Amino acid sequence: MDASSFREAIFQVHSHGRDRGHYFLAAEDPRFDDRHISVAGKRLLSFGSCSYLGLEFDPRLIDGGVEAYRRYGTRTSFSRGYLSCPLYPELEEDLLPRIFGVPRCCCCRAPASPTTS
């Protein structure tokens, strides 16, 4: 398949999805509390997030996140080559190794909060 045919196929797939109302939807819920969302008046089971473990409403994680935000703020925009958030050693040397069964993990930081990096 040449590039123009490939491009045309992608365009058609996206056009059909757009025509059927599959893109740029907005959830109508005043808050999320499980894997269900309301869209266009319908209650739906959402498969669209990256929450593969379904832990986004686990009270332990929420409480830990709140505590981390209180201690370190919403941004730690330092370059790790210069200065690292104090949460990284515990995450890389203790928590993630226990989860994955390895001696140590290295987190590649994205420009986000210390609780989500």
Side-chain angles (χ1 to χ4, degrees):
M1 176 182 284
D2 66 17
S4 64
S5 297
F6 180 73
R7 198 170 37 249
E8 180 61 26
I10 296 295
F11 178 77
Q12 286 180 6
V13 167
H14 284 282
S15 291
H16 291 299
R18 193 171 43 251
D19 294 344
R20 292 178 180 151
H22 293 243
Y23 298 129
F24 306 111
L25 303 173
E28 300 163 344
D29 308 88
R31 65 181 304 212
F32 297 139
D33 56 14
D34 62 15
R35 292 177 172 247
H36 290 86
I37 57 171
S38 299
V39 176
K42 297 179 184 172
R43 186 85 170 140
L44 305 171
L45 180 59
S46 175
F47 293 99
S49 82
C50 295
S51 177
Y52 305 114
L53 298 175
L55 297 173
E56 63 269 31
F57 297 106
D58 184 302
R60 299 166 299 175
L61 295 178
I62 293 169
D63 293 344
V66 168
E67 175 60 26
Y69 281 119
R70 285 196 175 117
R71 289 172 60 195
Y72 302 106
T74 60
R75 301 284 277 168
T76 54
S77 58
F78 304 111
S79 163
R80 276 192 83 185
Y82 168 66
L83 184 65
S84 185
C85 176
L87 296 174
Y88 280 109
E90 180 183 4
L91 181 66
E92 293 177 334
E93 297 168 12
D94 182 33
L95 299 175
L96 290 176
R98 281 193 284 155
I99 291 170
F100 294 109
V102 296
R104 184 178 167 110
C105 289
C106 180
C107 295
C108 297
R109 189 184 178 292
S113 72
T115 58
T116 59
S117 297

